[in-house]
Amino acid sequence: MSEQINGPHQSNKSKKKIQTQNMTKAERRELQEKQRAEKNQKKQENTQLNLAQQKKTQQLASSVSSLDLNRTSQPNQLSASTPNIRKPPAQMRQDDPKMVKKIEKTQTVQRIPVQKPVALFSHLTQYEKPQSNLAQDIVHPSIISLGLKFSEFVIVGGNARCIAMIDVFKKVIHDYVTPPGSSLIRHLTMYLGKQIDYLTSARVLAASMKSAIRHLKSEISILSIDLPDIDAKEKLYDELDNFILKNITIADQYIVHQTLQNIHDGDVILTHARSSVVLAVFQAAYDMGIKFRVIVCDSRPKLEGKELLKRLVATGIPCTYILSNALGVVMKEVTKVIVGASALFSNGAVMSRAGTAVVAMMANEFQVPFIVCCETYKFSDVVRLDSFVWNEIGDSDELLDLTNSEPSSKLPSVVPTLTNMQSNASMIRRSEWRNLDSLGILNLHYDVTPSHLVTMCVCEIGIISSTSVVTVLRDLLEKKE
């Protein structure tokens, strides 16, 4: 059997042996050289294939490493291989231990992480309320003072915070001295970065503040390197003043003029929290002699609507003050809802003070127009579908503080109920609620209203749909170019 199976192979080998035996030395040498040449050619082909495979693997490895670097060190930039993917910023990746360690190393001010973070929002920044705001020597004193006002909510509102920041930046630029061996264009941007880091550690920057910072950095980048520091500073002062004049002062005047066209005699207008441009609209309508009434809807813990109520009552406008749980009662008499906005996203969603989305849903249920007043410098190319991916988390202890809910002496029947609430809250506070495993407290500052609940958006370029943000941003970019 073995001879039958191996017979053909043995016959071929025997034939080759007979052929080589019949060859001369020259013919055998020529055959050997030919076989060597074939072997060398095969070796070269194999090495070329191996080199090609190595290059491919190196390219793949470099692309993967570049993506990883973009995810960690450059979260706000897009990689070349993924142009349509927006990397989440560092403040949205707090559930990544590597990112947390990296942020702690680069922080201008060290913050204490919250003891009991809410699991659903573990990807967001959650810190305990700082006991003291101490900064390094590189932070300007006016920046430290401004950061304290932001953290204590002495200055609130997108426009107010932006104007205050720009005024402080002018002081910082005035006191700035270019170090020897460097230029103002290169060093000032880095110096301002430390000031911005401190403000961010005090409180998350508003969309209006981010827009002003981008504008300032772009103006610094186009300065001539031969321009003296005094002239460069004067030019930056003018640019910052023009930014406020164009994007806030004049823009609000156009918004007021456009919104007044939708306010008529007999209107009952509902608004939520406090917005500077909405306050300007109501005051202008009152000055024009339009007879209307305002319902101020408010929500805890900030109760910002109280400040708006004081201004409207001082002006002479008839007002009604309610909390958000009474929306269903008063909405049937409301003719339109006018609110402000912290930001307007490219998908038409509106980010505003927490509780605005509830007002929008109730207005949609009662078929009441929901009008948003927002300046174009608050428009953002970011897409937000909800308020879970990004939000600002406030101090949890504020929800247990009922000092701003003191009962009125004219309502004695309510006194026992509110007194019990205050005593229960103080009991929870005394027993250290952080030690209670069954209790978790979350204080969100913003919510996101979807575009289908927004009737119209009033900005300085006119009355538009909220989904037209992308078109407006594109037109503004073309004008700059």
Side-chain angles (χ1 to χ4, degrees):
M1 291 292 292
S2 61
E3 291 178 0
Q4 291 178 359
I5 294 172
N6 297 327
H9 297 286
Q10 290 178 354
S11 61
N12 291 332
K13 290 180 180 179
S14 61
K15 285 180 182 179
K16 289 181 180 179
K17 286 181 180 180
I18 294 170
Q19 289 177 359
T20 53
Q21 287 176 1
N22 295 331
M23 289 181 181
T24 61
K25 289 183 178 180
E27 289 175 347
R28 284 197 294 270
R29 190 176 298 166
E30 184 180 356
L31 180 62
Q32 289 175 356
E33 290 177 355
K34 184 178 180 181
Q35 290 175 351
R36 288 174 184 170
E38 290 176 355
K39 288 181 180 179
N40 292 330
Q41 186 176 0
K42 288 181 180 180
K43 286 182 180 180
Q44 290 178 358
E45 291 176 355
N46 291 330
T47 54
Q48 289 177 356
L49 288 173
N50 291 331
L51 289 173
Q53 290 178 354
Q54 289 177 0
K55 286 182 179 179
K56 288 182 179 179
T57 54
Q58 288 177 358
Q59 290 176 356
L60 288 172
S62 63
S63 62
V64 171
S65 63
S66 63
L67 285 173
D68 291 335
L69 286 173
N70 285 331
R71 289 192 186 114
T72 56
S73 62
Q74 297 177 354
N76 293 325
Q77 296 181 2
L78 301 179
S79 61
S81 59
T82 56
N84 295 324
I85 300 176
R86 182 179 290 275
K87 301 296 185 300
Q91 60 185 0
M92 291 168 53
R93 288 180 285 164
Q94 295 296 316
D95 51 353
D96 185 0
K98 294 182 180 179
M99 178 55 63
V100 172
K101 290 181 180 179
K102 186 174 183 181
I103 292 173
E104 289 177 353
K105 291 180 181 178
T106 57
Q107 272 184 342
T108 306
V109 179
Q110 299 298 324
R111 299 287 301 276
I112 301 174
V114 70
Q115 296 180 14
K116 289 184 63 178
V118 179
L120 183 60
F121 290 84
S122 61
H123 61 286
L124 295 178
T125 306
Q126 299 185 50
Y127 291 122
E128 295 288 351
K129 185 177 180 180
Q131 298 298 326
S132 60
N133 286 328
L134 298 178
Q136 297 177 358
D137 294 337
I138 198 171
V139 180
H140 195 275
S142 58
I143 293 289
I144 298 176
S145 175
L146 182 64
L148 182 61
K149 292 178 181 178
F150 284 165
S151 62
E152 296 295 332
F153 289 84
V154 176
I155 301 176
V156 294
N159 291 340
R161 291 174 66 191
C162 182
I163 293 173
M165 183 190 69
I166 289 177
D167 291 339
V168 170
F169 277 170
K170 290 167 66 176
K171 296 179 183 177
V172 172
I173 295 172
H174 178 270
D175 297 339
Y176 168 79
V177 178
T178 306
S182 183
S183 61
L184 181 140
I185 300 174
R186 296 177 181 176
H187 190 264
L188 180 58
T189 304
M190 182 179 65
Y191 179 73
L192 287 175
K194 294 295 182 181
Q195 320 303 317
I196 297 167
D197 290 342
Y198 180 80
L199 293 178
T200 307
S201 67
R203 189 187 170 190
V204 179
L205 299 180
S208 56
M209 300 169 66
K210 294 178 182 178
S211 179
I213 290 170
R214 285 194 298 268
H215 179 75
L216 176 59
K217 288 184 176 180
S218 65
E219 292 298 329
I220 294 174
S221 64
I222 62 176
L223 290 174
S224 175
I225 196 170
D226 298 327
L227 192 66
D229 288 359
I230 298 177
D231 297 337
K233 290 180 179 181
E234 290 292 337
K235 190 172 183 181
L236 292 178
Y237 298 157
D238 295 338
E239 289 296 335
L240 291 174
D241 290 336
N242 290 333
F243 182 87
I244 296 176
L245 179 65
K246 177 182 176 182
N247 294 284
I248 299 178
T249 306
I250 298 178
D252 286 352
Q253 293 175 0
Y254 278 105
I255 291 173
V256 170
H257 176 72
Q258 295 287 340
T259 310
L260 286 176
Q261 300 176 7
N262 296 281
I263 299 178
H264 310 287
D265 289 336
D267 276 343
V268 179
I269 305 172
L270 186 140
T271 186
H272 180 258
R274 177 179 178 269
S275 172
S276 59
V277 65
V278 173
L279 174 61
V281 169
F282 292 154
Q283 290 177 341
Y286 180 80
D287 294 338
M288 289 180 62
I290 302 175
K291 298 180 180 180
F292 65 100
R293 184 162 62 91
V294 176
I295 299 177
V296 180
C297 178
D298 212 353
S299 56
R300 294 190 66 251
K302 294 299 181 184
L303 297 176
E304 295 179 85
K306 285 186 175 181
E307 184 63 29
L308 177 65
L309 183 67
K310 292 178 182 178
R311 300 286 186 89
L312 295 177
V313 171
T315 304
I317 301 173
C319 300
T320 303
Y321 181 79
I322 64 168
L323 294 179
S324 56
N325 56 355
L327 278 171
V329 179
V330 301
M331 190 60 73
K332 56 187 176 183
E333 59 179 320
V334 174
T335 57
K336 55 179 62 70
V337 178
I338 302 177
V339 298
S342 299
L344 215 64
F345 301 122
S346 59
N347 61 335
V350 179
M351 186 179 76
S352 188
R353 190 63 73 206
T356 307
V358 178
V359 176
M361 287 188 288
M362 291 297 294
N364 183 67
E365 182 69 21
F366 284 84
Q367 297 182 355
V368 176
F370 186 81
I371 304 171
V372 177
C373 299
C374 183
E375 300 86 352
T376 55
Y377 85 111
K378 295 180 182 178
F379 288 8
S380 173
D381 58 350
V382 177
V383 175
R384 294 271 167 81
L385 302 177
D386 51 47
S387 55
F388 297 95
V389 176
W390 184 90
N391 211 317
E392 182 182 355
I393 300 178
D395 184 17
S396 301
D397 291 328
E398 291 180 349
L399 294 177
L400 298 175
D401 184 11
L402 297 178
T403 54
N404 55 5
S405 302
E406 293 180 358
S408 173
S409 59
K410 298 180 181 179
L411 299 174
S413 60
V414 187
V415 172
T417 305
L418 291 177
T419 305
N420 292 334
M421 290 173 61
Q422 291 179 357
S423 62
N424 293 336
S426 61
M427 287 172 60
I428 295 175
R429 200 158 43 243
R430 284 197 300 268
S431 61
E432 295 294 335
W433 65 268
R434 290 176 179 82
N435 298 329
L436 300 176
D437 296 334
S438 60
L439 180 60
I441 300 178
L442 183 67
N443 181 15
L444 297 179
H445 285 173
Y446 298 103
D447 62 17
V448 175
T449 303
S451 59
H452 69 273
L453 299 179
V454 181
T455 306
M456 66 179 70
C457 176
V458 184
C459 57
E460 61 264 32
I461 64 174
I463 299 175
I464 62 173
S465 171
S466 63
T467 54
S468 303
V469 173
V470 177
T471 305
V472 175
L473 290 175
R474 185 186 61 205
D475 293 342
L476 293 175
L477 183 61
E478 289 177 354
K479 287 180 180 179
K480 289 181 180 180
E481 294 177 352

